Amino acid sequence: MEDIWQSAMDHAVAVARKAGQVVRDAAGGVHEAAVMVKSSPIDLVTQTDQKVEKLIIRALKDKFPTHCFIGEESVAAGEVCVLTDGPTWIIDPIDGTTNFVHTFPFVAVCIGFAVDKQVEFGVVYSCLRDEMYTARRGKGAFCDGRPLHVSRQQDIRQAVIATEFGSNRDPQALDKIFSSLKRVVSIPVHGVRSAGSAAINMCLVASGCVEAYYEIGIHVWDVAASSLIVSEAGGVLMDVEGGPLDLMSRRVLAANSRSVAERLVKEIDAFSVRRDDDAS
Ligand code: IPD
Ligand code: CA
């Protein structure tokens, strides 16, 4: 088994690099007319997202024709989003589409691979910065081959916390997002940051640049690959209310330690959003 997944991971890294090259070549040349919207006027998608997802799935299916696939743009086009126990590739061709449209430099190609609903390896290619983050279960997390470790800071008052506003502009959700933000800022923490890509926020936790990241409204493809990068770098993952992370729940809290995570849980005004696997 071991060797099968290692060669699958090597292939995923090569595919992510190729996909990232296509994204990089397209960045800066996105015309207003080429930007479309999905769930809300600020949930953006471009032809590059769609083209790159097709490229990734074709390259993976060629080698693994019997595997399952969950891809952001395939789901947007009507495919089901179900995580079974079978080998499943979970793909976001561009995490940070708004960044891509504006050439803000945090844009990632994400490829996660799960078996029995457990992520076996994760690849996050921060393609505008040419940084390749990888993790394999039980074997550590790396950026361009350098081992990653989360920050050792245990005092939340000396922490930097990442979060995002997402693309949900429902007034009740926004009230909760802002009340959580106010409580976190008021702890007080050293600072709050938003990279504009869930996967890159998670890689920043894994790299020790920020102590934690939380968000309600993400999708499984934004965080599947990067969740393993965080845990293999020594970090913890949980739900924003403190239970175990549920990849389909659209809620995530990643932190350098349980104590920082649990402190944040106390400040987050949690709410539920429609799950990724809710087909109703
Ligand atoms: C989004 C980004 C953003 C986060 C959203 C995600 P996308 O992914 O990760 O930072 O706030 O929740 O959906 O749409 O660029 O793939
Ligand atoms: Ca995306």
Side-chain angles (χ1 to χ4, degrees):
M1 273 305 173
E2 181 130 326
D3 283 335
I4 297 176
W5 298 157
Q6 186 56 53
S7 69
M9 179 168 166
D10 294 343
H11 186 53
V13 170
V15 170
R17 211 178 276 289
K18 202 176 277 179
Q21 174 77 56
V22 176
V23 176
R24 198 160 50 230
D25 289 349
V30 186
H31 301 293
E32 246 173 65
V35 180
M36 299 160 277
V37 299
K38 292 195 286 189
S39 65
S40 82
I42 50 156
D43 182 9
L44 309 184
V45 63
T46 69
Q47 281 170 0
T48 306
D49 297 68
Q50 295 162 341
K51 174 172 122 183
V52 171
E53 179 159 318
K54 285 198 181 110
L55 175 160
I56 294 171
I57 293 182
R58 205 178 312 120
L60 296 173
K61 260 194 185 158
D62 272 355
K63 282 219 174 200
F64 306 101
T66 61
H67 288 183
C68 304
F69 290 82
I70 295 174
E72 175 169 12
E73 306 316 333
S74 311
V75 171
E79 288 202 13
V80 289
C81 182
V82 194
L83 185 57
T84 65
D85 286 340
T88 305
W89 296 87
I90 304 166
I91 297 150
D92 189 345
I94 300 183
D95 184 46
T97 299
T98 305
N99 287 354
F100 168 69
V101 167
H102 292 267
T103 61
F104 192 77
F106 299 115
V107 174
V109 175
C110 305
I111 305 179
F113 179 72
V115 182
D116 291 332
K117 300 190 177 72
Q118 187 169 43
V119 181
E120 284 293 327
F121 60 78
V123 176
V124 173
Y125 182 41
S126 178
C127 56
L128 300 189
R129 293 169 50 84
D130 189 22
E131 290 172 336
M132 182 66 78
Y133 294 89
T134 55
R136 175 125 189 257
R137 193 157 66 84
K139 304 219 170 202
F142 300 86
C143 179
D144 294 332
R146 277 177 294 106
L148 296 177
H149 204 282
V150 292
S151 155
R152 294 184 205 286
Q153 182 57 256
Q154 293 295 315
D155 180 358
I156 195 146
R157 291 172 178 262
Q158 301 199 39
V160 174
I161 309 300
T163 189
E164 299 280 340
F165 302 105
S167 55
N168 185 353
R169 292 296 175 266
D170 165 59
Q172 281 167 353
L174 275 185
D175 280 349
K176 286 181 177 285
I177 289 169
F178 283 114
S179 80
S180 305
L181 191 59
K182 184 174 180 190
R183 292 170 65 138
V184 171
V185 169
S186 307
I187 290 176
V189 294
H190 268 184
V192 172
R193 300 287 183 269
S194 296
S197 152
I200 291 180
N201 284 319
M202 303 269 276
C203 291
L204 292 172
V205 174
S207 308
C209 308
V210 305
E211 273 66 31
Y213 159 65
Y214 71 90
E215 184 173 348
I216 300 173
I218 47 92
H219 294 276
V220 60
W221 43 81
D222 298 319
V223 295
S226 53
S227 63
L228 191 68
I229 295 172
V230 170
S231 57
E232 287 297 321
V236 301
L237 295 152
M238 56 177 74
D239 176 65
V240 290
E241 286 185 280
L245 175 70
D246 172 349
L247 280 175
M248 289 291 178
S249 71
R250 304 190 52 204
R251 316 196 314 178
V252 71
L253 169 55
N256 64 332
S257 64
R258 186 154 290 276
S259 63
V260 166
E262 284 171 351
R263 181 70 177 80
L264 278 174
V265 164
K266 290 191 185 144
E267 308 302 342
I268 297 171
D269 198 356
F271 58 98
S272 297
V273 282
R274 188 173 159 191
R275 295 174 57 83
D276 275 331
D277 54 5
D278 178 354
S280 62

